[in-house]
Amino acid sequence: MIDYDKLKEYTPLTLQRMKCIESALCDGPKRTAELQAILRDHNFGDSLRNVQDAIKKLNDVYGSEEGDNHISRGAVHKLSDTEVNLAFPELVVNSKDRRVMNKILRLAYFFEGTIPVKRILEVSGLVKGGMDDLFDDMRENADLPMSAEEAALMANLYDAIERKRVVCFPYKPLHDVYYGDEIHVSPYYLRQFNSKWFLIGHIENQPVRDVGFNYPWSVFPIKRILSEGGTFFQLKMSDRRYRDIDKKRIHEYYSHVIGFYVPGIKGEPFKEQLQPLEIVIKVADSKTMRQIVENPIHDHQSVDRRTGTVILNVVESPLLYSRLLSYGADIEVISPVTVRDKLHEMFVMGSKVYEQVKK
């Protein structure tokens, strides 16, 4: 395993010698005299001791475990791995590699840092061949489970996001608004919540009937896009003009929201400035507290183990109540009264259902 922290221990001149030798050995085996000549050409000192010292330090950085990279020491010096496990990989990256890395970094950005790496790269063709070797150190459970259809759709959506192309697909919103046979969307983000993927984008075609407000963005579950599209669904590119947006607005809007659904008032315009509530919760025991700490209800939560209190700073939504109800009697909402009363009402309604079953 490469120990990059070791590089901090060496002087700038030593690092330059190590770079020269590693780069030279990536081109093929070299004799000691050849490595001395390379150091001489760069005015880094061509003594035998300098070559030996640089090789020793490179091997220290590579590690000593089985399978680690290694420079053989003898009449001819050979680097066992000339492609991946390098101390200075930037020196052997060509323009094609840089384009691929840039694509992968952009991919990670659009997927909010939670990408099913292996599946997306396989389908998108960003990396071809050697996929199993590339991901030997990554286990399947590091990637969210995903069907081939989902992976293909997300790869195409990612491509549309990068190229700023409007996409279109059959989709019927849950509310009573009709957009025609297909909905046209400027895609902005692919985000994950609760092991499910969602597309966030702006609807470009106005409703045909039941005209309402066209929000700055809408959320589309990936599985629903596929189910609406049918067996032979293929994402299409639209000729409509792409509408860009400052993505910070989307980040800020959802920063205090659990999931993506925020209930609005029918007939009223989209309200972008949400007002989160401060919800104070009393936790019954240490076991429940540990569960909340290890599996936060939301990123905006603070915990006081001493008093057994959790404070949430979140927007009121159905998913909030769902999460609070899941703890049953192990938590008690202290404030605000509105949330406490609503939670109490839900418990009462639920108990009535079970009382009726008993009768």
Side-chain angles (χ1 to χ4, degrees), residues 110-112 154 157-158 160-161 165 167 169 171 184-193 196-204 215-222 225 242-247 249-255 257 259-261 270:
F110 285 121
F111 278 85
E112 291 279 286
M154 290 173 67
L157 286 170
Y158 159 70
I161 291 170
R165 291 288 307 276
V167 296
F169 46 86
Y171 196 87
H184 296 246
V185 177
S186 291
Y188 298 143
Y189 271 127
L190 286 158
R191 295 186 65 169
Q192 179 266 341
F193 174 73
K196 296 181 179 67
W197 285 96
F198 299 82
L199 166 69
I200 298 177
H202 180 262
I203 300 174
E204 297 303 336
Y215 299 147
W217 63 81
S218 298
V219 181
F220 308 89
I222 292 296
I225 295 175
Y242 185 91
R243 183 180 308 209
D244 214 339
I245 191 174
D246 181 358
K247 295 183 176 66
R249 291 170 57 190
I250 301 174
H251 276 287
E252 290 171 3
Y253 182 83
Y254 289 114
S255 61
V257 176
F260 300 111
Y261 175 60
F270 177 76

Short mmCIF file of all heavy atoms in Angstrom, two decimals, residues 110-112 154 157-158 160-161 165 167 169 171 184-193 196-204 215-222 225 242-247 249-255 257 259-261 270:
data_model
loop_
_atom_site.label_atom_id
_atom_site.label_comp_id
_atom_site.label_asym_id
_atom_site.label_seq_id
_atom_site.Cartn_x
_atom_site.Cartn_y
_atom_site.Cartn_z
N PHE A 110 -21.76 15.53 -10.07
CA PHE A 110 -23.18 15.51 -10.41
C PHE A 110 -23.96 14.50 -9.59
O PHE A 110 -25.15 14.66 -9.38
CB PHE A 110 -23.38 15.22 -11.90
CG PHE A 110 -23.05 16.40 -12.77
CD1 PHE A 110 -22.08 16.32 -13.74
CD2 PHE A 110 -23.71 17.60 -12.61
CE1 PHE A 110 -21.77 17.40 -14.55
CE2 PHE A 110 -23.41 18.70 -13.41
CZ PHE A 110 -22.44 18.60 -14.38
N PHE A 111 -23.28 13.45 -9.13
CA PHE A 111 -23.95 12.43 -8.33
C PHE A 111 -23.83 12.73 -6.85
O PHE A 111 -24.09 11.87 -6.01
CB PHE A 111 -23.38 11.04 -8.62
CG PHE A 111 -23.97 10.41 -9.84
CD1 PHE A 111 -23.44 10.69 -11.09
CD2 PHE A 111 -25.04 9.55 -9.75
CE1 PHE A 111 -23.97 10.11 -12.23
CE2 PHE A 111 -25.57 8.97 -10.88
CZ PHE A 111 -25.04 9.24 -12.12
N GLU A 112 -23.40 13.95 -6.51
CA GLU A 112 -23.36 14.38 -5.12
C GLU A 112 -22.45 13.51 -4.26
O GLU A 112 -22.69 13.31 -3.09
CB GLU A 112 -24.77 14.36 -4.52
CG GLU A 112 -25.67 15.41 -5.09
CD GLU A 112 -25.42 16.75 -4.44
OE1 GLU A 112 -25.83 16.93 -3.30
OE2 GLU A 112 -24.83 17.63 -5.08
N MET A 154 -29.18 6.42 -15.89
CA MET A 154 -28.40 7.41 -15.15
C MET A 154 -27.16 7.84 -15.90
O MET A 154 -26.75 9.00 -15.83
CB MET A 154 -28.05 6.85 -13.77
CG MET A 154 -29.27 6.75 -12.86
SD MET A 154 -28.95 5.93 -11.29
CE MET A 154 -27.85 7.08 -10.51
N LEU A 157 -28.45 10.30 -18.40
CA LEU A 157 -28.82 11.55 -17.74
C LEU A 157 -27.58 12.34 -17.35
O LEU A 157 -27.53 13.57 -17.50
CB LEU A 157 -29.67 11.26 -16.50
CG LEU A 157 -31.11 10.83 -16.76
CD1 LEU A 157 -31.77 10.33 -15.48
CD2 LEU A 157 -31.92 11.98 -17.37
N TYR A 158 -26.56 11.63 -16.86
CA TYR A 158 -25.30 12.30 -16.54
C TYR A 158 -24.72 12.99 -17.77
O TYR A 158 -24.27 14.13 -17.72
CB TYR A 158 -24.29 11.30 -15.95
CG TYR A 158 -22.87 11.78 -16.07
CD1 TYR A 158 -22.42 12.85 -15.30
CD2 TYR A 158 -21.99 11.22 -16.99
CE1 TYR A 158 -21.12 13.32 -15.43
CE2 TYR A 158 -20.70 11.68 -17.11
CZ TYR A 158 -20.27 12.73 -16.33
OH TYR A 158 -19.00 13.20 -16.48
N ALA A 160 -26.33 14.06 -20.35
CA ALA A 160 -27.17 15.22 -20.67
C ALA A 160 -26.88 16.38 -19.73
O ALA A 160 -26.88 17.55 -20.15
CB ALA A 160 -28.64 14.83 -20.59
N ILE A 161 -26.62 16.08 -18.46
CA ILE A 161 -26.28 17.13 -17.49
C ILE A 161 -24.98 17.81 -17.91
O ILE A 161 -24.87 19.04 -17.91
CB ILE A 161 -26.15 16.54 -16.07
CG1 ILE A 161 -27.51 16.10 -15.55
CG2 ILE A 161 -25.52 17.55 -15.12
CD1 ILE A 161 -27.45 15.30 -14.27
N ARG A 165 -28.14 19.35 -22.07
CA ARG A 165 -29.16 18.99 -23.05
C ARG A 165 -30.47 18.70 -22.33
O ARG A 165 -30.50 18.02 -21.30
CB ARG A 165 -28.74 17.75 -23.85
CG ARG A 165 -27.58 17.98 -24.81
CD ARG A 165 -27.99 18.83 -26.01
NE ARG A 165 -29.16 18.28 -26.70
CZ ARG A 165 -29.11 17.33 -27.62
NH1 ARG A 165 -27.95 16.79 -27.95
NH2 ARG A 165 -30.22 16.91 -28.21
N VAL A 167 -33.82 16.71 -21.80
CA VAL A 167 -34.24 15.33 -22.06
C VAL A 167 -35.76 15.26 -22.03
O VAL A 167 -36.43 16.13 -21.45
CB VAL A 167 -33.65 14.35 -21.02
CG1 VAL A 167 -32.13 14.32 -21.11
CG2 VAL A 167 -34.08 14.73 -19.60
N PHE A 169 -39.21 12.36 -21.68
CA PHE A 169 -39.63 10.99 -21.36
C PHE A 169 -41.10 11.02 -20.93
O PHE A 169 -41.61 12.05 -20.47
CB PHE A 169 -38.76 10.41 -20.24
CG PHE A 169 -38.54 11.32 -19.07
CD1 PHE A 169 -39.45 11.38 -18.01
CD2 PHE A 169 -37.42 12.15 -19.01
CE1 PHE A 169 -39.24 12.23 -16.94
CE2 PHE A 169 -37.20 13.00 -17.94
CZ PHE A 169 -38.12 13.04 -16.89
N TYR A 171 -44.14 10.78 -18.60
CA TYR A 171 -44.20 10.95 -17.15
C TYR A 171 -45.50 11.65 -16.78
O TYR A 171 -45.82 12.71 -17.33
CB TYR A 171 -43.00 11.77 -16.67
CG TYR A 171 -42.74 11.69 -15.18
CD1 TYR A 171 -41.96 10.67 -14.65
CD2 TYR A 171 -43.28 12.62 -14.30
CE1 TYR A 171 -41.70 10.58 -13.29
CE2 TYR A 171 -43.04 12.54 -12.94
CZ TYR A 171 -42.25 11.52 -12.44
OH TYR A 171 -42.00 11.44 -11.10
N HIS A 184 -40.57 17.42 -20.83
CA HIS A 184 -39.25 17.87 -21.25
C HIS A 184 -38.56 18.53 -20.06
O HIS A 184 -39.13 19.44 -19.44
CB HIS A 184 -39.36 18.87 -22.41
CG HIS A 184 -39.93 18.26 -23.65
ND1 HIS A 184 -39.21 18.10 -24.81
CD2 HIS A 184 -41.17 17.76 -23.91
CE1 HIS A 184 -39.97 17.54 -25.74
NE2 HIS A 184 -41.17 17.33 -25.22
N VAL A 185 -37.36 18.06 -19.73
CA VAL A 185 -36.70 18.48 -18.49
C VAL A 185 -35.25 18.89 -18.74
O VAL A 185 -34.50 18.17 -19.42
CB VAL A 185 -36.72 17.33 -17.45
CG1 VAL A 185 -35.98 17.73 -16.18
CG2 VAL A 185 -38.14 16.92 -17.13
N SER A 186 -34.87 20.05 -18.18
CA SER A 186 -33.45 20.42 -18.12
C SER A 186 -32.87 19.76 -16.88
O SER A 186 -33.22 20.12 -15.75
CB SER A 186 -33.28 21.94 -18.01
OG SER A 186 -33.67 22.59 -19.19
N PRO A 187 -32.00 18.73 -17.04
CA PRO A 187 -31.51 17.99 -15.87
C PRO A 187 -30.38 18.73 -15.15
O PRO A 187 -29.47 19.26 -15.79
CB PRO A 187 -31.00 16.68 -16.48
CG PRO A 187 -30.59 17.06 -17.87
CD PRO A 187 -31.48 18.18 -18.31
N TYR A 188 -30.44 18.75 -13.81
CA TYR A 188 -29.44 19.45 -13.02
C TYR A 188 -28.59 18.51 -12.16
O TYR A 188 -27.38 18.64 -12.06
CB TYR A 188 -30.11 20.46 -12.08
CG TYR A 188 -30.87 21.55 -12.79
CD1 TYR A 188 -32.07 22.05 -12.27
CD2 TYR A 188 -30.41 22.09 -13.99
CE1 TYR A 188 -32.77 23.06 -12.90
CE2 TYR A 188 -31.11 23.09 -14.64
CZ TYR A 188 -32.30 23.58 -14.09
OH TYR A 188 -33.00 24.56 -14.73
N TYR A 189 -29.24 17.58 -11.48
CA TYR A 189 -28.56 16.73 -10.51
C TYR A 189 -29.14 15.33 -10.52
O TYR A 189 -30.31 15.12 -10.83
CB TYR A 189 -28.75 17.26 -9.08
CG TYR A 189 -27.73 18.26 -8.63
CD1 TYR A 189 -28.13 19.49 -8.12
CD2 TYR A 189 -26.38 17.97 -8.66
CE1 TYR A 189 -27.21 20.42 -7.67
CE2 TYR A 189 -25.45 18.90 -8.20
CZ TYR A 189 -25.87 20.12 -7.71
OH TYR A 189 -24.96 21.02 -7.27
N LEU A 190 -28.31 14.36 -10.11
CA LEU A 190 -28.78 13.03 -9.76
C LEU A 190 -28.42 12.85 -8.30
O LEU A 190 -27.24 12.88 -7.93
CB LEU A 190 -28.11 11.96 -10.63
CG LEU A 190 -28.63 11.92 -12.07
CD1 LEU A 190 -27.60 11.28 -12.98
CD2 LEU A 190 -29.94 11.19 -12.15
N ARG A 191 -29.44 12.68 -7.46
CA ARG A 191 -29.19 12.59 -6.02
C ARG A 191 -29.83 11.35 -5.45
O ARG A 191 -30.81 10.82 -5.98
CB ARG A 191 -29.73 13.84 -5.30
CG ARG A 191 -28.99 15.10 -5.71
CD ARG A 191 -29.40 16.29 -4.90
NE ARG A 191 -29.04 16.17 -3.50
CZ ARG A 191 -29.11 17.17 -2.64
NH1 ARG A 191 -29.54 18.37 -3.02
NH2 ARG A 191 -28.78 17.00 -1.37
N GLN A 192 -29.27 10.89 -4.34
CA GLN A 192 -29.71 9.66 -3.71
C GLN A 192 -30.29 9.94 -2.34
O GLN A 192 -29.79 10.77 -1.59
CB GLN A 192 -28.52 8.69 -3.61
CG GLN A 192 -28.83 7.37 -2.96
CD GLN A 192 -28.53 7.36 -1.47
OE1 GLN A 192 -27.79 8.20 -0.95
NE2 GLN A 192 -29.13 6.43 -0.76
N PHE A 193 -31.37 9.24 -2.02
CA PHE A 193 -31.92 9.31 -0.67
C PHE A 193 -32.57 7.97 -0.35
O PHE A 193 -33.35 7.44 -1.15
CB PHE A 193 -32.97 10.44 -0.54
CG PHE A 193 -33.67 10.44 0.79
CD1 PHE A 193 -33.01 10.86 1.93
CD2 PHE A 193 -34.99 9.99 0.90
CE1 PHE A 193 -33.64 10.84 3.17
CE2 PHE A 193 -35.63 9.98 2.13
CZ PHE A 193 -34.95 10.41 3.27
N LYS A 196 -32.48 5.19 -2.88
CA LYS A 196 -33.20 5.41 -4.15
C LYS A 196 -32.59 6.63 -4.84
O LYS A 196 -32.14 7.57 -4.18
CB LYS A 196 -34.69 5.63 -3.92
CG LYS A 196 -35.42 4.42 -3.34
CD LYS A 196 -36.90 4.72 -3.18
CE LYS A 196 -37.65 3.51 -2.62
NZ LYS A 196 -37.25 3.21 -1.24
N TRP A 197 -32.60 6.61 -6.18
CA TRP A 197 -32.02 7.70 -6.96
C TRP A 197 -33.11 8.59 -7.54
O TRP A 197 -34.19 8.11 -7.91
CB TRP A 197 -31.15 7.15 -8.09
CG TRP A 197 -29.84 6.64 -7.59
CD1 TRP A 197 -29.51 5.36 -7.28
CD2 TRP A 197 -28.67 7.43 -7.31
NE1 TRP A 197 -28.22 5.29 -6.82
CE2 TRP A 197 -27.68 6.55 -6.84
CE3 TRP A 197 -28.37 8.79 -7.42
CZ2 TRP A 197 -26.41 6.98 -6.48
CZ3 TRP A 197 -27.10 9.21 -7.06
CH2 TRP A 197 -26.14 8.32 -6.60
N PHE A 198 -32.79 9.89 -7.62
CA PHE A 198 -33.75 10.88 -8.11
C PHE A 198 -33.05 11.83 -9.08
O PHE A 198 -31.88 12.17 -8.90
CB PHE A 198 -34.32 11.71 -6.95
CG PHE A 198 -35.07 10.90 -5.93
CD1 PHE A 198 -34.38 10.22 -4.92
CD2 PHE A 198 -36.45 10.79 -5.96
CE1 PHE A 198 -35.06 9.47 -3.97
CE2 PHE A 198 -37.14 10.04 -5.02
CZ PHE A 198 -36.45 9.38 -4.03
N LEU A 199 -33.80 12.27 -10.09
CA LEU A 199 -33.34 13.32 -10.99
C LEU A 199 -33.98 14.63 -10.55
O LEU A 199 -35.19 14.68 -10.29
CB LEU A 199 -33.77 13.01 -12.43
CG LEU A 199 -33.64 14.17 -13.43
CD1 LEU A 199 -32.19 14.52 -13.69
CD2 LEU A 199 -34.36 13.82 -14.74
N ILE A 200 -33.17 15.67 -10.45
CA ILE A 200 -33.68 17.01 -10.17
C ILE A 200 -33.48 17.86 -11.41
O ILE A 200 -32.36 17.92 -11.95
CB ILE A 200 -32.96 17.64 -8.96
CG1 ILE A 200 -33.20 16.81 -7.70
CG2 ILE A 200 -33.43 19.08 -8.74
CD1 ILE A 200 -32.47 17.31 -6.48
N GLY A 201 -34.55 18.47 -11.90
CA GLY A 201 -34.45 19.28 -13.10
C GLY A 201 -35.65 20.19 -13.29
O GLY A 201 -36.63 20.11 -12.54
N HIS A 202 -35.57 21.06 -14.28
CA HIS A 202 -36.64 22.02 -14.56
C HIS A 202 -37.51 21.54 -15.71
O HIS A 202 -37.01 21.14 -16.76
CB HIS A 202 -36.05 23.39 -14.92
CG HIS A 202 -37.10 24.42 -15.22
ND1 HIS A 202 -37.49 24.73 -16.51
CD2 HIS A 202 -37.84 25.18 -14.40
CE1 HIS A 202 -38.43 25.65 -16.47
NE2 HIS A 202 -38.66 25.94 -15.20
N ILE A 203 -38.83 21.56 -15.52
CA ILE A 203 -39.77 21.16 -16.57
C ILE A 203 -39.88 22.29 -17.59
O ILE A 203 -40.22 23.42 -17.23
CB ILE A 203 -41.15 20.83 -15.98
CG1 ILE A 203 -41.03 19.68 -14.97
CG2 ILE A 203 -42.14 20.47 -17.10
CD1 ILE A 203 -42.32 19.38 -14.23
N GLU A 204 -39.57 21.97 -18.85
CA GLU A 204 -39.53 23.01 -19.89
C GLU A 204 -40.86 23.19 -20.63
O GLU A 204 -41.12 24.25 -21.19
CB GLU A 204 -38.43 22.69 -20.91
CG GLU A 204 -37.03 22.70 -20.32
CD GLU A 204 -36.67 24.02 -19.65
OE1 GLU A 204 -37.26 25.06 -19.99
OE2 GLU A 204 -35.81 24.01 -18.75
N TYR A 215 -42.47 25.31 -11.31
CA TYR A 215 -41.46 25.48 -10.29
C TYR A 215 -40.06 25.58 -10.90
O TYR A 215 -39.82 25.06 -11.99
CB TYR A 215 -41.52 24.31 -9.31
CG TYR A 215 -42.83 24.18 -8.57
CD1 TYR A 215 -43.32 22.93 -8.21
CD2 TYR A 215 -43.58 25.30 -8.25
CE1 TYR A 215 -44.53 22.80 -7.53
CE2 TYR A 215 -44.78 25.19 -7.58
CZ TYR A 215 -45.25 23.94 -7.22
OH TYR A 215 -46.44 23.82 -6.57
N PRO A 216 -39.11 26.19 -10.18
CA PRO A 216 -37.74 26.30 -10.71
C PRO A 216 -37.07 24.93 -10.88
O PRO A 216 -36.13 24.80 -11.65
CB PRO A 216 -37.02 27.16 -9.68
CG PRO A 216 -37.85 27.09 -8.44
CD PRO A 216 -39.26 26.90 -8.90
N TRP A 217 -37.54 23.93 -10.15
CA TRP A 217 -37.07 22.56 -10.35
C TRP A 217 -38.12 21.59 -9.80
O TRP A 217 -38.96 21.94 -8.97
CB TRP A 217 -35.72 22.31 -9.67
CG TRP A 217 -35.74 22.43 -8.18
CD1 TRP A 217 -36.15 21.51 -7.26
CD2 TRP A 217 -35.35 23.58 -7.42
NE1 TRP A 217 -36.03 21.99 -6.00
CE2 TRP A 217 -35.54 23.26 -6.05
CE3 TRP A 217 -34.84 24.83 -7.75
CZ2 TRP A 217 -35.25 24.16 -5.03
CZ3 TRP A 217 -34.55 25.72 -6.74
CH2 TRP A 217 -34.75 25.38 -5.40
N SER A 218 -38.04 20.37 -10.29
CA SER A 218 -38.92 19.30 -9.83
C SER A 218 -38.07 18.06 -9.59
O SER A 218 -36.93 17.99 -10.04
CB SER A 218 -40.01 19.01 -10.86
OG SER A 218 -40.83 20.15 -11.07
N VAL A 219 -38.64 17.08 -8.90
CA VAL A 219 -37.91 15.85 -8.54
C VAL A 219 -38.60 14.65 -9.18
O VAL A 219 -39.82 14.49 -9.08
CB VAL A 219 -37.84 15.67 -7.01
CG1 VAL A 219 -37.05 14.42 -6.65
CG2 VAL A 219 -37.21 16.90 -6.36
N PHE A 220 -37.79 13.79 -9.84
CA PHE A 220 -38.32 12.63 -10.55
C PHE A 220 -37.61 11.36 -10.07
O PHE A 220 -36.40 11.24 -10.29
CB PHE A 220 -38.10 12.78 -12.06
CG PHE A 220 -38.60 14.07 -12.63
CD1 PHE A 220 -37.77 15.20 -12.68
CD2 PHE A 220 -39.89 14.19 -13.11
CE1 PHE A 220 -38.22 16.39 -13.19
CE2 PHE A 220 -40.35 15.39 -13.63
CZ PHE A 220 -39.52 16.50 -13.66
N PRO A 221 -38.30 10.43 -9.42
CA PRO A 221 -37.67 9.17 -9.04
C PRO A 221 -37.23 8.39 -10.29
O PRO A 221 -38.00 8.26 -11.24
CB PRO A 221 -38.78 8.42 -8.29
CG PRO A 221 -39.76 9.48 -7.89
CD PRO A 221 -39.70 10.52 -8.95
N ILE A 222 -36.00 7.90 -10.28
CA ILE A 222 -35.47 7.17 -11.43
C ILE A 222 -36.32 5.94 -11.75
O ILE A 222 -36.64 5.67 -12.91
CB ILE A 222 -34.00 6.77 -11.18
CG1 ILE A 222 -33.11 8.00 -11.14
CG2 ILE A 222 -33.51 5.79 -12.24
CD1 ILE A 222 -33.03 8.77 -12.44
N ILE A 225 -39.46 6.95 -13.62
CA ILE A 225 -39.22 7.28 -15.02
C ILE A 225 -39.20 6.00 -15.84
O ILE A 225 -39.80 5.92 -16.92
CB ILE A 225 -37.89 8.05 -15.18
CG1 ILE A 225 -37.97 9.41 -14.49
CG2 ILE A 225 -37.54 8.23 -16.66
CD1 ILE A 225 -36.66 10.19 -14.50
N TYR A 242 -32.01 24.54 -23.15
CA TYR A 242 -31.65 24.18 -21.78
C TYR A 242 -31.70 25.42 -20.89
O TYR A 242 -31.15 26.48 -21.24
CB TYR A 242 -30.25 23.58 -21.76
CG TYR A 242 -29.79 23.05 -20.41
CD1 TYR A 242 -30.02 21.73 -20.05
CD2 TYR A 242 -29.12 23.88 -19.51
CE1 TYR A 242 -29.59 21.23 -18.83
CE2 TYR A 242 -28.68 23.39 -18.29
CZ TYR A 242 -28.92 22.07 -17.94
OH TYR A 242 -28.49 21.60 -16.74
N ARG A 243 -32.36 25.29 -19.75
CA ARG A 243 -32.43 26.39 -18.80
C ARG A 243 -31.49 26.10 -17.64
O ARG A 243 -31.69 25.15 -16.89
CB ARG A 243 -33.86 26.57 -18.28
CG ARG A 243 -34.01 27.76 -17.33
CD ARG A 243 -35.41 27.90 -16.83
NE ARG A 243 -36.37 27.91 -17.93
CZ ARG A 243 -37.54 28.53 -17.89
NH1 ARG A 243 -37.90 29.21 -16.81
NH2 ARG A 243 -38.38 28.46 -18.91
N ASP A 244 -30.46 26.90 -17.49
CA ASP A 244 -29.47 26.68 -16.43
C ASP A 244 -29.96 27.29 -15.13
O ASP A 244 -30.92 28.08 -15.12
CB ASP A 244 -28.12 27.28 -16.84
CG ASP A 244 -26.95 26.46 -16.30
OD1 ASP A 244 -27.18 25.70 -15.33
OD2 ASP A 244 -25.85 26.57 -16.84
N ILE A 245 -29.29 26.94 -14.05
CA ILE A 245 -29.67 27.44 -12.72
C ILE A 245 -28.43 27.45 -11.84
O ILE A 245 -27.50 26.69 -12.06
CB ILE A 245 -30.76 26.52 -12.10
CG1 ILE A 245 -31.37 27.16 -10.85
CG2 ILE A 245 -30.19 25.15 -11.76
CD1 ILE A 245 -32.55 26.38 -10.28
N ASP A 246 -28.44 28.34 -10.87
CA ASP A 246 -27.39 28.34 -9.85
C ASP A 246 -27.69 27.18 -8.91
O ASP A 246 -28.65 27.21 -8.14
CB ASP A 246 -27.38 29.66 -9.08
CG ASP A 246 -26.28 29.72 -8.03
OD1 ASP A 246 -25.55 28.71 -7.87
OD2 ASP A 246 -26.16 30.77 -7.37
N LYS A 247 -26.88 26.13 -8.97
CA LYS A 247 -27.18 24.91 -8.21
C LYS A 247 -27.09 25.11 -6.70
O LYS A 247 -27.57 24.27 -5.94
CB LYS A 247 -26.27 23.77 -8.68
CG LYS A 247 -26.54 23.36 -10.13
CD LYS A 247 -25.69 22.19 -10.55
CE LYS A 247 -26.03 21.73 -11.96
NZ LYS A 247 -25.69 22.73 -12.99
N ARG A 249 -28.79 27.15 -5.16
CA ARG A 249 -30.18 27.32 -4.73
C ARG A 249 -30.79 25.98 -4.34
O ARG A 249 -31.51 25.88 -3.34
CB ARG A 249 -31.00 27.96 -5.85
CG ARG A 249 -30.66 29.40 -6.15
CD ARG A 249 -31.33 29.88 -7.42
NE ARG A 249 -32.78 29.73 -7.36
CZ ARG A 249 -33.58 29.91 -8.43
NH1 ARG A 249 -33.05 30.22 -9.61
NH2 ARG A 249 -34.87 29.76 -8.31
N ILE A 250 -30.49 24.95 -5.12
CA ILE A 250 -31.02 23.61 -4.83
C ILE A 250 -30.41 23.06 -3.55
O ILE A 250 -31.10 22.51 -2.69
CB ILE A 250 -30.76 22.66 -6.01
CG1 ILE A 250 -31.41 23.22 -7.29
CG2 ILE A 250 -31.29 21.27 -5.71
CD1 ILE A 250 -31.10 22.43 -8.54
N HIS A 251 -29.09 23.24 -3.41
CA HIS A 251 -28.40 22.79 -2.19
C HIS A 251 -29.02 23.45 -0.96
O HIS A 251 -29.31 22.78 0.05
CB HIS A 251 -26.92 23.13 -2.26
CG HIS A 251 -26.10 22.14 -3.01
ND1 HIS A 251 -25.79 20.89 -2.51
CD2 HIS A 251 -25.53 22.20 -4.23
CE1 HIS A 251 -25.08 20.22 -3.39
NE2 HIS A 251 -24.89 20.99 -4.45
N GLU A 252 -29.19 24.75 -1.02
CA GLU A 252 -29.69 25.50 0.14
C GLU A 252 -31.13 25.11 0.46
O GLU A 252 -31.51 25.01 1.63
CB GLU A 252 -29.58 27.00 -0.13
CG GLU A 252 -28.13 27.49 -0.13
CD GLU A 252 -28.00 28.94 -0.61
OE1 GLU A 252 -29.06 29.57 -0.88
OE2 GLU A 252 -26.86 29.42 -0.72
N TYR A 253 -31.92 24.88 -0.59
CA TYR A 253 -33.33 24.55 -0.38
C TYR A 253 -33.48 23.24 0.39
O TYR A 253 -34.30 23.14 1.31
CB TYR A 253 -34.03 24.44 -1.73
CG TYR A 253 -35.52 24.13 -1.64
CD1 TYR A 253 -36.45 25.15 -1.42
CD2 TYR A 253 -35.98 22.83 -1.78
CE1 TYR A 253 -37.80 24.87 -1.34
CE2 TYR A 253 -37.34 22.55 -1.71
CZ TYR A 253 -38.24 23.57 -1.49
OH TYR A 253 -39.59 23.29 -1.41
N TYR A 254 -32.68 22.24 0.03
CA TYR A 254 -32.81 20.92 0.65
C TYR A 254 -31.91 20.73 1.88
O TYR A 254 -31.90 19.65 2.46
CB TYR A 254 -32.49 19.83 -0.37
CG TYR A 254 -33.57 19.67 -1.42
CD1 TYR A 254 -33.31 19.98 -2.75
CD2 TYR A 254 -34.84 19.24 -1.09
CE1 TYR A 254 -34.30 19.85 -3.72
CE2 TYR A 254 -35.84 19.11 -2.04
CZ TYR A 254 -35.56 19.42 -3.36
OH TYR A 254 -36.54 19.30 -4.30
N SER A 255 -31.16 21.76 2.25
CA SER A 255 -30.18 21.59 3.33
C SER A 255 -30.83 21.24 4.66
O SER A 255 -30.19 20.62 5.52
CB SER A 255 -29.34 22.86 3.47
OG SER A 255 -30.16 23.97 3.81
N VAL A 257 -34.03 19.73 4.76
CA VAL A 257 -35.18 18.88 4.41
C VAL A 257 -34.78 17.41 4.49
O VAL A 257 -33.69 17.04 4.06
CB VAL A 257 -35.69 19.20 2.99
CG1 VAL A 257 -36.82 18.26 2.59
CG2 VAL A 257 -36.16 20.65 2.91
N GLY A 259 -35.16 14.08 2.86
CA GLY A 259 -35.62 13.64 1.54
C GLY A 259 -35.79 14.81 0.60
O GLY A 259 -35.05 15.80 0.67
N PHE A 260 -36.81 14.74 -0.28
CA PHE A 260 -36.99 15.79 -1.29
C PHE A 260 -38.39 16.39 -1.32
O PHE A 260 -38.64 17.35 -2.03
CB PHE A 260 -36.69 15.23 -2.69
CG PHE A 260 -35.29 14.73 -2.83
CD1 PHE A 260 -35.03 13.37 -2.97
CD2 PHE A 260 -34.22 15.59 -2.78
CE1 PHE A 260 -33.75 12.89 -3.08
CE2 PHE A 260 -32.92 15.13 -2.89
CZ PHE A 260 -32.68 13.78 -3.04
N TYR A 261 -39.33 15.79 -0.55
CA TYR A 261 -40.71 16.27 -0.63
C TYR A 261 -40.97 17.33 0.43
O TYR A 261 -40.79 17.09 1.62
CB TYR A 261 -41.69 15.11 -0.46
CG TYR A 261 -43.14 15.56 -0.42
CD1 TYR A 261 -43.71 16.23 -1.51
CD2 TYR A 261 -43.93 15.33 0.70
CE1 TYR A 261 -45.02 16.66 -1.47
CE2 TYR A 261 -45.24 15.75 0.75
CZ TYR A 261 -45.79 16.41 -0.34
OH TYR A 261 -47.08 16.85 -0.29
N PHE A 270 -44.46 28.55 -5.67
CA PHE A 270 -43.34 27.86 -5.02
C PHE A 270 -42.64 28.79 -4.04
O PHE A 270 -42.33 29.94 -4.36
CB PHE A 270 -42.36 27.40 -6.11
CG PHE A 270 -41.12 26.74 -5.59
CD1 PHE A 270 -41.15 25.44 -5.11
CD2 PHE A 270 -39.90 27.41 -5.59
CE1 PHE A 270 -40.01 24.81 -4.65
CE2 PHE A 270 -38.76 26.80 -5.14
CZ PHE A 270 -38.82 25.49 -4.66
#
